[in-house]
Amino acid sequence: MNECIEMMKQRRSVKRYNPNRPVEPEKLEQILEAGMYAPSGYGKQSPRIIVVRDPGTRDLLSRLNARFLGKEIDPFYGAPTVLIVLADRSQPTFLYDGTLVMGNLLNAAHALGVDSCWVHRAKEVFDCPEGKALLEKWGIDGDYEGIGHCILGYGAGPAPKAGPRKAGYAVYVSPDE
């Protein structure tokens, strides 16, 4: 099977990380580059990727995310790096554009031996006053929606195995018989 397709089949979301093992800068740059090459509607490249490696900012984002989850946990599972994908709401394809960026980030990380997971609630985090203040602090102007948090790091244990795909996942449409 094609190496790229096989890699996509093997990628899993990791939910336990070694917080003391950061992603190497050269691998992080390759992951970001893959995200930047995701397709986007009309070629507008409306998403933005925010790279968070600072432990204080990472922990603040974790607390904000946990608040919207309604639990006092670390929704980032100890991962030391968080990539925040935002997309410009003025673009009609913003949600799809940002989602494609997330997919590229996750698949590129796996291809480089870096574990990852898509953590939701970025929309809620960056629509709240604290999230808006962070965007302003980071110089992000415009009407951006949080699409997701792509957490990166190295797992603190084996990655989960893929379960079987459900029956009927793909539906074939045949010409009238």
Side-chain angles (χ1 to χ4, degrees):
M1 177 173 283
N2 176 287
E3 183 179 343
C4 182
I5 294 171
E6 188 61 34
M7 182 270 316
M8 287 188 281
K9 287 174 58 178
Q10 293 173 3
R11 194 209 73 76
R12 306 270 52 89
S13 293
V14 172
K15 297 183 179 176
R16 222 175 79 195
Y17 290 83
N18 177 348
N20 300 314
R21 187 173 173 207
V23 177
E24 298 85 346
E26 60 277 2
K27 287 186 178 182
L28 179 59
E29 289 303 315
Q30 290 178 68
I31 294 165
L32 291 167
E33 185 175 29
M36 290 185 265
Y37 275 88
S40 63
Y42 309 103
K44 295 282 187 177
Q45 302 176 33
S46 74
R48 304 281 298 268
I49 306 169
I50 310 301
V51 181
V52 178
R53 298 187 79 168
D54 167 62
T57 304
R58 180 242 178 258
D59 292 347
L60 171 61
L61 289 167
S62 175
R63 286 191 304 274
L64 289 172
N65 193 295
R67 185 174 78 198
F68 288 104
L69 182 59
K71 297 181 180 180
E72 291 189 30
I73 63 167
D74 175 15
F76 299 152
Y77 306 106
T81 301
V82 178
L83 305 180
I84 304 157
V85 175
L86 308 168
D88 183 352
R89 287 182 172 118
S90 72
Q91 297 302 315
T93 58
F94 78 95
L95 183 59
Y96 314 108
D97 297 346
T99 300
L100 286 165
V101 169
M102 286 292 294
N104 274 22
L105 294 171
L106 296 165
N107 286 323
H110 180 70
L112 294 170
V114 176
D115 294 312
S116 66
C117 185
W118 180 331
V119 177
H120 294 278
R121 294 168 299 283
K123 178 183 186 321
E124 293 83 354
V125 167
F126 292 100
D127 279 348
C128 81
E130 297 97 324
K132 288 184 184 297
L134 287 171
L135 293 178
E136 184 176 332
K137 175 182 174 182
W138 299 334
I140 306 295
D141 294 324
D143 186 19
Y144 283 91
E145 181 168 308
I147 303 302
H149 303 88
C150 177
I151 58 172
L152 299 174
Y154 293 96
K161 300 290 182 208
R165 302 296 94 173
K166 67 181 181 179
Y169 207 134
V171 177
Y172 289 84
V173 177
S174 302
D176 293 337
E177 296 175 5

